[in-house]
Amino acid sequence: MGEKIYGLLGRRLGHSWSVPIHTALGCPAYRLIEREPEELSDFLRREDIGGLNVTIPYKREVLSFCDEVDGSARAIGSANTLVRRGGKLIAFNTDGIGFCAMAERAGISLAGRKVVVLGSGGASLTAVACARQLGAGEVVVISRSGKDNYQNLDRHSDGEILVNTTPVGMYPDNGKAPVDLSAFPVCRGVLDLIYNPHRTALLLQAQERNIPCSDGLPMLTAQAGAAEEIFFDKPIPHGEIEKILTRLRRETENLVLIGMPGCGKSTVGKALARLTGREAVDLDQWVEEKAGCSVPRLIETCGEQVFRDWEQKAAEACGRQTGKILMTGGGIVTRPDNYAPLKQNGRIYHLIRELYRLPTRGRPLSQGKDLSRLWEERAPFYARFRDQTVENNGTAEETAAAIWRDFCAYTGDERSQYEPSGHSAAGGLRQDHL
């Protein structure tokens, strides 16, 4: 027999980050395996299956193809891990381990609280079982057609912990939310099993309300570690799981640059690209490519509002990407709707440069204007968008180094004190996280 098969089994897997996680855990053969429902039977009969993870929509369906069902999968009623041992296909469920790790890491206690679970699929079964295991006072499942559904949510407005197990808001359908958190006025915690994007529309609502919350990446990495232990019958230290989570956060989070026209976003963005090896994405350039003309020409012929419409499309398209440097236009903050697309996968840095140093030539929306007045108008918007400010009155390399140090510290990277060779740390960060 040749190489054994290891991978993630599902129907549509373009959103998945499982391959880099399992590769880091020591399984270089791990791959994505997309199959249609009618293909499951033949595939799961293969004798060369080593270990599989299972995701939407097959977590319950695979049980009928298994020779044995471990207690973890039997208790939940679904499986996310399969192995073939002695010719038998055996089902396990490590999602429970991942769910509990996610809740604990977010500091969200379910004990004695009313838990509202959105969705009734395989992941919902895990959430319900874990909520009961963690001592929830009451667990309610919201489905599209059950007795508790999205049309009578008001029956459960006293829900204290909200768990989203639906794919609503998952890449590539970013920006959607299964519910509005205003329907749950006493909500004290939100757990969203989606991990791409980092911050779904639901989680952004929670953060706006200062409600403790978590995306699904801690769950994904914890369950993956447990699955690998089953695949190879070898323990994995908890510290290794944390390192992988930290690295994945750092590698997939965007660095987003905002600031006044001429403050150096493009120059600093390119310096960051050289420093980090990341791709720098210019949103104005995206607009020019899609609109078929330069930004000044677009504004001159169609007006500022048409440009702003294009700019919003750029924020939505580019904000879906991960692990990039996004360089925005000076006025992108004037539309509040641009915040969520930029924030969903990014840490937003506000570049500040002394006004007298801001060039205006070739900038139709700042040329000939009183920059002091323009700053006064936009300052509240910049404050609303930013996570951190950084002064850009030195060299672009100094500013880039300061941003990267902050970013590494923010993502929990062990290199938070990283000093790029040949660059000083003169860039000045202002400690005013919002």
Side-chain angles (χ1 to χ4, degrees):
M1 184 181 296
E3 292 289 328
K4 290 186 177 294
I5 297 173
Y6 293 93
L8 175 65
L9 173 64
R11 193 172 187 185
R12 299 288 182 269
L13 302 174
H15 67 284
S16 177
W17 293 347
S18 290
V19 170
I21 293 173
H22 283 270
T23 299
L25 286 167
C27 186
Y30 197 93
R31 59 191 175 90
L32 301 180
I33 304 169
E34 293 185 343
R35 292 292 186 273
E36 292 298 319
E38 61 271 18
E39 299 176 298
L40 276 184
S41 179
D42 287 343
F43 177 73
L44 291 175
R45 287 196 185 98
R46 293 186 60 150
E47 292 295 323
D48 55 352
I49 289 175
L52 299 173
N53 287 121
V54 184
T55 189
I56 297 172
Y58 300 136
K59 290 189 175 187
R60 283 186 286 191
E61 283 76 0
V62 295
L63 292 177
S64 63
F65 298 101
C66 293
D67 301 295
E68 295 181 11
V69 178
D70 179 76
S72 60
R74 189 179 302 110
I76 291 175
S78 69
N80 80 316
T81 301
L82 306 177
V83 294
R84 189 172 292 286
R85 291 177 181 166
K88 294 183 177 181
L89 191 63
I90 307 173
F92 299 82
N93 195 308
T94 65
D95 276 339
I97 294 172
F99 184 92
C100 293
M102 171 179 61
E104 180 181 2
R105 204 173 191 278
I108 296 175
S109 173
L110 280 64
R113 293 178 173 170
K114 181 171 182 176
V115 178
V116 177
V117 178
L118 305 176
S120 56
S124 174
L125 297 175
T126 298
V128 170
C130 290
R132 289 172 176 158
Q133 176 187 331
L134 295 172
E138 181 182 358
V139 182
V140 176
V141 175
I142 306 296
S143 63
R144 285 176 290 184
S145 57
K147 67 174 183 176
D148 296 304
N149 54 65
Y150 296 95
Q151 281 67 52
N152 58 27
L153 279 177
D154 57 319
R155 295 168 54 181
H156 303 292
S157 61
D158 58 341
E160 298 171 276
I161 306 296
L162 196 65
V163 182
N164 179 40
T165 70
T166 78
V168 177
M170 183 171 69
Y171 177 89
D173 296 320
N174 305 43
K176 299 178 181 178
V179 296
D180 191 317
L181 276 186
S182 63
F184 302 93
V186 296
C187 182
R188 303 173 68 178
V190 178
L191 299 170
D192 195 331
L193 273 57
I194 293 171
Y195 55 86
N196 183 8
H198 288 305
R199 302 169 193 88
T200 59
L202 184 64
L203 291 183
L204 287 173
Q205 288 184 54
Q207 291 179 359
E208 184 73 21
R209 292 165 170 76
N210 294 316
I211 297 173
C213 59
S214 176
D215 68 322
L217 193 56
M219 176 176 174
L220 179 70
T221 52
Q223 68 80 23
E228 284 283 328
E229 291 181 334
I230 294 172
F231 289 170
F232 300 107
D233 195 23
K234 182 173 64 175
I236 297 174
H238 175 72
E240 289 302 309
I241 305 298
E242 280 295 314
K243 286 180 182 178
I244 292 170
L245 175 59
T246 294
R247 189 174 76 186
L248 200 56
R249 286 254 189 249
R250 175 173 53 83
E251 291 178 351
T252 56
E253 188 90 356
N254 293 327
L255 294 98
V256 183
L257 307 183
I258 64 172
M260 287 281 283
C263 71
K265 298 182 292 293
S266 295
T267 306
V268 171
K270 292 173 183 176
L272 268 170
R274 292 192 296 271
L275 176 65
T276 65
R278 292 177 174 229
E279 179 185 1
V281 179
D282 188 320
L283 269 64
D284 278 355
Q285 185 176 333
W286 186 97
V287 170
E288 291 179 343
E289 291 175 354
K290 300 298 182 182
C293 65
S294 69
V295 167
R297 180 65 176 166
L298 180 63
I299 294 172
E300 178 185 350
T301 57
C302 301
E304 181 179 352
Q305 291 310 307
V306 171
F307 164 66
R308 294 296 176 206
D309 291 341
W310 275 107
E311 186 176 54
Q312 186 170 338
K313 293 176 183 177
E316 292 168 354
C318 298
R320 287 189 179 93
Q321 301 182 56
T322 57
K324 308 294 185 183
I325 299 162
L326 304 185
M327 305 175 295
T328 69
I332 198 167
V333 297
T334 61
R335 280 199 178 180
D337 287 347
N338 288 331
Y339 174 73
L342 296 178
K343 183 59 184 171
Q344 64 181 335
N345 284 319
R347 181 160 174 79
I348 303 177
Y349 289 90
H350 178 196
L351 271 59
I352 295 180
R353 173 176 279 179
E354 294 167 340
L355 293 181
Y356 76 88
R357 304 182 64 169
L358 300 180
T360 60
R361 184 176 181 181
R363 302 175 188 275
L365 298 180
S366 61
Q367 189 168 353
K369 290 190 177 181
D370 182 342
L371 292 184
S372 296
R373 179 171 296 180
L374 186 63
W375 165 252
E376 289 176 2
E377 292 172 354
R378 290 185 177 178
F381 299 118
Y382 289 127
R384 167 68 178 85
F385 272 58
R386 71 191 177 209
D387 294 303
Q388 183 64 281
T389 59
V390 56
E391 294 182 358
N392 185 35
N393 292 311
T395 68
E397 288 73 21
E398 290 170 342
T399 303
I403 291 172
W404 187 241
R405 282 195 303 274
D406 174 82
F407 183 75
C408 287
Y410 160 71
T411 54
D413 193 275
E414 61 188 9
R415 299 182 301 167
S416 61
Q417 300 303 314
Y418 167 66
E419 289 287 348
S421 176
H423 300 314
S424 71
L429 285 168
R430 297 183 179 183
Q431 300 304 317
D432 61 347
H433 301 262
L434 301 178

